[in-house]
Amino acid sequence: MTAETEVLGELKRLRARVPQLTGVLAASVDGLVLATDTPDAEGVAALTAAALGVAMRLTEATGQGGFKELLVRGEAGYVATYAAGSSAVLTVLAEPRINVGRLHLEARRACVRVGALVDAALERPQEA
């Protein structure tokens, strides 16, 4: 089983635990899709990377430390991005009726697992 398959499995389990999610993706911090269960994943990953850059600068400039998560609320729902290990992020899309506390609880748990999978895959020697 590859890391991508394992990460995708974690994304699907997250969506099963939180039915109000409308999309989930794992991406590298520079905006490359690692695994996805959402439409327009490339666009969302690119925008996530841009938002991540601003969020990282904002937390550092205000003395809040390293980036952990970002929550955006729109008229039609939420977009939340969580740090997942040292080189990935987890972005979730949710309906406006979601319990935000539950969203954070489940997504934070998932991002720990996704981060561990991605970091472990990056540490493995690449096969030619």
Side-chain angles (χ1 to χ4, degrees), residues 26 52 65 69 75 77 94 102 106 117 119:
L52 178 62
E69 58 194 50
E75 292 175 354
R102 174 81 189 272
E106 295 294 346
L117 291 167
D119 287 348

Side-chain angles (χ1 to χ4, degrees), residues 11-107:
L11 300 184
K12 289 181 184 281
R13 286 188 292 278
L14 175 59
R15 283 195 72 172
R17 289 190 310 269
V18 186
Q20 298 82 17
L21 295 183
T22 58
V24 185
L25 74 86
S28 66
V29 293
D30 57 355
L32 297 174
V33 175
L34 302 174
T36 183
D37 189 12
T38 188
D40 188 29
E42 289 79 19
V44 173
L47 289 169
T48 294
L52 178 62
V54 172
M56 289 172 69
R57 286 193 304 249
L58 183 60
T59 57
E60 290 171 8
T62 58
Q64 303 305 311
F67 171 80
K68 291 293 185 185
E69 58 194 50
L70 171 68
L71 178 68
V72 177
R73 179 178 174 213
E75 292 175 354
Y78 293 87
V79 179
T81 298
Y82 302 86
S86 62
S87 58
V89 293
L90 175 69
T91 295
V92 297
L93 311 176
E95 297 173 356
R97 64 187 181 94
I98 194 164
N99 177 313
V100 175
R102 174 81 189 272
L103 168 71
H104 285 319
L105 176 71
E106 295 294 346

